Amino acid sequence: MKKKEPVKYPFLPEGREILYVDLDNEFMAKAKDLCRESGCVKQPTGAVIVKYGKIIGTGTNAGRLVTECPRWDSPTGENYGPCKDVCHQTGHAEANAVKEMMKNYSESEYENADIFLYGHWWCCQNCWKAMEEGKIKNVYLLKNSENLFNPEKNIEMKKWGKPTEKTIEK
C-alpha cells in the first residue's frame, strides 16, 4: 500500500499542524454552510470556532459579491489588495471568525478553542497570526482539501471568478 505524501503547505508555523475531518462533522458542515455566504468568487471560505461543543465565532471572506475576481490568476497567497479595494473584503474567514469571537467572549472563555475551515487547503501567515492571538488550539480542514481547494490540483477552480473576454478587452 502506497503511503500518502504529507501536504506541503505554502505556510505553516513551526510547531503547528493541521488536522482533518470529514464533512459529516457538524462543525465542518456549518463551515460549509457559511462558505455559501461568502462574497468571494475565487476562493469562498467559511470558518467556525468551537469550544466545548459550542460555536463561539464564525466568519467568511465575504465582501461585496462580484461575478469576476479582480485578483484572478494571482498565485495562491499573493496579491490580496484587490480583495479589499474592489470587493471590500474585511479579512479572511479565519481572521474574521477570531475577531468576532474576541469581541464577544473573554480570553478565558475562548482560549484553546478549535477552528473548522471549509474552502481552503492551508492558512496564510496573517490568519495564523490571528488564530494565535485568539489562542486557537486546533485547526481543522476538510479531508482531501489539498486536492479539492487547491487550484493547482483542482483545475476547475482556475475558472472560478475568471473574467470574461469582454472584461479583459476593457
Side-chain angles (χ1 to χ4, degrees), residues 36-118:
R36 293 183 183 115
E37 296 174 19
S38 172
C40 183
V41 295
K42 182 176 170 90
Q43 192 90 41
T45 308
V48 173
I49 300 176
V50 177
K51 185 160 181 189
Y52 300 129
K54 177 184 174 193
I55 295 174
I56 60 171
T58 61
T60 68
N61 56 341
R64 182 174 65 93
L65 181 60
V66 296
T67 57
E68 298 172 355
C69 178
R71 68 177 280 266
W72 184 81
D73 212 21
S74 294
T76 187
E78 296 180 23
N79 189 28
Y80 289 119
C83 298
K84 291 179 182 174
D85 299 340
V86 177
C87 301
H88 306 267
Q89 188 184 94
T90 58
H92 290 172
E94 306 96 296
N96 285 333
V98 168
K99 197 180 310 178
E100 177 187 280
M101 172 193 74
M102 291 175 75
K103 184 176 94 179
N104 294 317
Y105 294 90
S106 69
E107 186 174 319
S108 64
E109 292 174 306
Y110 66 70
E111 185 175 30
N112 291 318
D114 297 327
I115 190 167
F116 294 80
L117 185 63
Y118 183 91

Side-chain angles (χ1 to χ4, degrees), residues 65-169:
L65 181 60
V66 296
T67 57
E68 298 172 355
C69 178
R71 68 177 280 266
W72 184 81
D73 212 21
S74 294
T76 187
E78 296 180 23
N79 189 28
Y80 289 119
C83 298
K84 291 179 182 174
D85 299 340
V86 177
C87 301
H88 306 267
Q89 188 184 94
T90 58
H92 290 172
E94 306 96 296
N96 285 333
V98 168
K99 197 180 310 178
E100 177 187 280
M101 172 193 74
M102 291 175 75
K103 184 176 94 179
N104 294 317
Y105 294 90
S106 69
E107 186 174 319
S108 64
E109 292 174 306
Y110 66 70
E111 185 175 30
N112 291 318
D114 297 327
I115 190 167
F116 294 80
L117 185 63
Y118 183 91
H120 271 343
W121 68 278
W122 67 288
C123 302
C124 73
Q125 188 170 2
N126 288 337
C127 287
W128 275 106
K129 183 179 176 189
M131 290 186 292
E132 287 171 359
E133 286 173 10
K135 308 214 182 289
I136 298 295
K137 181 178 179 183
N138 294 306
V139 176
Y140 290 94
L141 298 180
L142 182 67
K143 275 186 185 169
N144 200 31
S145 61
E146 70 276 11
N147 294 313
L148 295 170
F149 305 121
N150 180 350
E152 299 306 316
K153 294 186 178 182
N154 179 352
I155 303 306
E156 274 302 302
M157 283 188 73
K158 287 190 182 241
K159 299 176 190 171
W160 293 4
K162 181 178 180 178
T164 62
E165 292 303 317
K166 240 187 230 182
T167 306
I168 293 171
E169 288 172 11

Side-chain angles (χ1 to χ4, degrees), residues 10-31:
F11 180 80
L12 183 67
E14 191 172 322
R16 295 300 304 249
E17 68 177 326
I18 293 177
L19 305 170
Y20 294 90
V21 295
D22 288 315
L23 192 54
D24 63 1
N25 175 289
E26 69 177 297
F27 303 116
M28 185 58 70
K30 176 65 176 166

